[in-house]
Amino acid sequence: MGQRRSLIGQILHARQQAKKQQAAAERRMHQQMMIEERKAAAALKRDAKLAETAAKRAEAERLKEEARVKRLAAQEVAKAERDAIKEKRERERRQAAEMQKQAAAQREASQAALARKLAEAEFRTVAVRRKVEGFASLLQSRNRSAGSKKLELEAALKNGGESAFVERLQHALAQSRYPEGLSGKVAALYDCPSRELLIEYEFPLQGVVPMATEYRFTKAKGVTPVPRKEAEVKRLYADLLARLTLRTLAEVFDVTPDALVQSVVFNGYVSTRDKATGRAVRPLLISIGSERGRFAEIVLDEPELDPVLCLRAHLNAVVSPHPYDLEGVRPVATFDLSKYRFVDEMDVVAGLDSRPDLLHLKPVEFEHLIRQLFESIGMKSWVTQASKDEPFSSCVAVRFDVVQGEDGLDDRGGSAWAAAQLDQNFPGLERGDRSFSAGADLGVGPVHGLLPA
C-alpha cells in the first residue's frame, strides 16, 4: 500500500515538474516575443525617421528645382515673345495637317464599319437562304444508300424477331443526315404477319422556320431583319413537315425489304405546351397510310413536286389544315386493328355513345371510317384519290361477293361506291355514276350502284 502511494506521489510530482517546465517555457517565449516586438517597434521607428528625413530632402530638392524652372522660364519669356508670330504660324499649319489626317482616318473607319455591317447583313441573309434551301432539298438529299441495309434487317428479324428488326431499322434511319437545326425522333412498331410498319415521328416546332427573309443595314437602325410574311412562314412550315414525311417514308421503303414491309403507317407529332393550361401536349399534324407500290409512283427528285399536294391528293393523307397553329388531326389507321392491340378488345366502331360527333370529322377521316365499317363486315374497300373535278372530293370503293337481293334470293357479288361526303348538297345518282366510271382502273370491276354516305 505504501509503495502504491509512493508511485502516485511520483506521478504527481512528475506532473508538477512538467507544469513548471511548461510555465517556464511559456514565460521565456513571452519574453522572447516582447523582445522581438520591441526590436520591431524600434526598427519601425528608425524607418519612419529615415522616411521623414528622405521626404524633407525630396521637398527641398523639389523647391530647388521649382526655383530653377522659374528662373529658366523667366529667361525664356523674352525669347518666346520674339518667336510668338513664327510659332503661331507653325502651330496653325500643324493643326490644319492634323485635322486633315483625322478626317481621313474617320472616313476610313466609317467605310470599314459600313463594310463590316454590310458583310454581316449579307452573311446572315445567306445563312437564312441556305436554311430555307436546305428545307427545299430534303427530298433530294435523302439517304440514298439506305437500300444497302436490307440484308441486315432481314438477319435482324430472323435472329432477333420484330424488336430486333425495329431496332436495326431505327439505327439505319439515324444514319440519314439532315440540315443543321432539324432534329427528330423516330419510334417504330412492326407486325410481321401483315408486313405493316407503324412509324411515329417527332416533328420540329414552328421556330425552325426563319422569321426573316433577309437582313438589311441602314445607318439609322443598323442591321435589321426583314420579316417574313406570316402566310409564307406557315407555308414553309407545312412544306417542311410534308417533306420530312415523304423523306422518312422513302427511306423506310428503301431500307426495308419488299418481302418484309408492304405498307407503312406514319404519324407525325410535335411535343409542346398548351398555352392555355401549360400542360404538355402532342398534337398529331400528319397521319398517312401508304402502300409500297403507291408510294413508288412518286418522283421525289422532281423539282415541281408539291409535297403537301402529294400527301393530300396522291397518298390521301390526313394533314392538319393549320399545322403552324398546331391544330391536331385524328390518325388514319390503314393497318389491321385486330393485329395491333393498342387497346384490348376495341375496334373502330366500338363505343358509339362515347365517339365524337361524326359531323365534326374531317372528310378524309370520315372516308376512312366508312372504309373500316365495310371491312368489318367482310368486304374489301379502298379510299380513292381525291379530285377537285368530280362532284365528290373522294369516295370509298367497295367489293363484295354475295349479297341478298330484294327478292330474298342470293345474288352474285360485285362492286359499289360509297361517297363519303359530309354535305347536304349531295349530287344526283346519274352524276355520281359518271364520276365513278373509272372504277375499272382500281381493279374493282363493274360498278353496280351508288351508296351515298
Side-chain angles (χ1 to χ4, degrees):
M1 187 68 179
Q3 293 178 353
R4 182 176 180 183
R5 289 178 178 176
S6 176
L7 180 59
I8 294 174
Q10 292 176 4
I11 294 173
L12 293 174
H13 178 72
R15 293 186 60 184
Q16 292 174 356
Q17 291 298 323
K19 289 182 179 181
K20 290 178 180 180
Q21 292 175 359
Q22 183 177 1
E26 291 177 352
R27 286 194 299 273
R28 288 194 298 273
M29 182 179 296
H30 180 70
Q31 293 173 356
Q32 184 66 28
M33 291 177 60
M34 294 297 293
I35 292 171
E36 293 296 332
E37 289 179 356
R38 286 195 293 271
K39 289 181 179 180
L44 290 174
K45 187 175 182 180
R46 287 194 301 273
D47 293 342
K49 189 174 182 180
L50 292 174
E52 183 180 0
T53 302
K56 290 180 179 180
R57 290 177 181 175
E59 181 65 17
E61 290 293 333
R62 187 188 67 80
L63 293 175
K64 184 179 179 181
E65 179 66 19
E66 184 178 351
R68 186 182 70 83
V69 170
K70 288 181 179 180
R71 288 194 301 270
L72 293 176
Q75 293 173 1
E76 292 293 332
V77 169
K79 183 179 179 180
E81 291 176 351
R82 290 190 301 267
D83 298 338
I85 297 176
K86 182 180 179 180
E87 182 66 24
K88 182 180 180 180
R89 292 176 179 175
E90 183 65 21
R91 185 170 58 252
E92 290 176 351
R93 186 189 63 81
R94 291 195 300 266
Q95 288 178 352
E98 184 66 22
M99 291 177 64
Q100 292 177 357
K101 184 178 180 180
Q102 290 179 357
Q106 289 178 356
R107 285 195 301 270
E108 292 178 358
S110 178
Q111 291 174 357
L114 176 61
R116 287 194 299 270
K117 293 297 183 181
L118 291 174
E120 178 186 353
E122 179 66 19
F123 176 81
R124 298 177 71 175
T125 298
V126 170
V128 167
R129 290 175 179 172
R130 285 181 178 175
K131 189 171 186 179
V132 175
E133 291 171 358
F135 295 166
S137 63
L138 275 173
L139 296 179
Q140 290 77 11
S141 63
R142 67 187 183 276
N143 185 9
R144 298 177 185 270
S145 62
S148 62
K149 305 293 184 181
K150 290 184 177 181
L151 294 178
E152 296 181 12
L153 267 70
E154 290 180 352
L157 180 63
K158 180 179 179 181
N159 299 327
E162 296 177 356
S163 60
F165 176 83
V166 168
E167 181 179 356
R168 194 61 192 171
L169 171 64
Q170 290 177 315
H171 177 75
L173 294 178
Q175 306 305 311
S176 185
R177 294 292 177 262
Y178 286 83
E180 183 179 357
L182 286 183
S183 61
K185 298 179 181 179
V186 177
L189 176 66
Y190 177 61
D191 182 72
C192 186
S194 64
R195 297 187 295 175
E196 293 176 330
L197 185 66
L198 173 63
I199 296 291
E200 283 197 359
Y201 190 93
E202 189 78 20
F203 284 136
L205 289 171
Q206 311 98 309
V208 72
V209 177
M211 300 301 293
T213 57
E214 61 179 345
Y215 287 82
R216 295 177 181 174
F217 170 75
T218 60
K219 292 182 179 180
K221 298 182 180 180
V223 178
T224 55
V226 178
R228 194 181 300 274
K229 293 182 179 179
E230 182 180 2
E232 184 182 1
V233 173
K234 293 182 177 182
R235 181 190 64 79
L236 285 176
Y237 187 63
D239 184 83
L240 172 62
L241 300 190
R243 290 182 185 276
L244 288 173
T245 300
L246 291 176
R247 173 170 169 150
T248 303
L249 288 173
E251 292 180 349
V252 167
F253 280 127
D254 286 345
V255 76
T256 54
D258 297 4
L260 299 183
V261 174
Q262 277 298 310
S263 61
V264 175
V265 175
F266 177 97
N267 289 328
Y269 297 85
V270 289
S271 295
T272 184
R273 293 279 176 179
D274 188 337
K275 293 183 179 180
T277 64
R279 300 182 63 180
V281 292
R282 288 187 79 224
L284 175 65
L285 301 185
I286 295 179
S287 184
I288 176 176
S290 176
E291 299 288 338
R292 181 182 291 272
R294 184 70 170 172
F295 189 83
E297 298 173 1
I298 306 172
V299 183
L300 295 175
D301 295 327
E302 171 56 46
E304 298 298 324
L305 177 67
D306 185 336
V308 177
L309 183 61
C310 176
L311 289 178
R312 287 178 171 165
H314 182 73
L315 298 178
N316 208 22
V318 177
V319 181
S320 171
H322 304 101
Y324 189 83
D325 299 324
L326 305 184
E327 180 178 332
V329 297
R330 293 179 178 85
V332 172
T334 58
F335 46 86
D336 187 354
L337 290 179
S338 66
K339 299 175 182 177
Y340 292 87
R341 294 293 184 182
F342 294 108
V343 179
D344 292 340
E345 302 301 323
M346 178 179 180
D347 58 24
V348 70
V349 294
L352 292 178
D353 293 335
S354 62
R355 289 184 306 168
D357 189 346
L358 294 182
L359 292 178
H360 292 166
L361 292 179
K362 295 180 175 62
V364 173
E365 297 171 342
F366 187 68
E367 292 160 8
H368 281 278
L369 175 61
I370 297 299
R371 175 188 59 77
Q372 292 169 343
L373 289 174
F374 279 116
E375 290 179 348
S376 68
I377 59 176
M379 296 183 180
K380 187 174 182 180
S381 60
W382 304 265
V383 176
T384 65
Q385 179 177 345
S387 173
K388 296 181 180 179
D389 299 329
E390 302 295 347
F392 308 104
S393 61
S394 58
C395 53
V396 181
V398 182
R399 187 171 187 174
F400 50 93
D401 295 327
V402 179
V403 295
Q404 192 174 54
E406 296 180 355
D407 54 2
L409 300 177
D410 288 343
D411 192 6
R412 297 178 59 188
S415 302
W417 293 85
Q421 179 163 320
L422 294 173
D423 195 345
Q424 294 179 352
N425 299 323
F426 200 83
L429 180 62
E430 294 181 358
R431 288 189 62 199
D433 285 336
R434 289 197 302 269
S435 300
F436 308 136
S437 60
D441 294 339
L442 292 177
V444 299
V447 176
H448 286 188
L450 175 65
L451 175 62

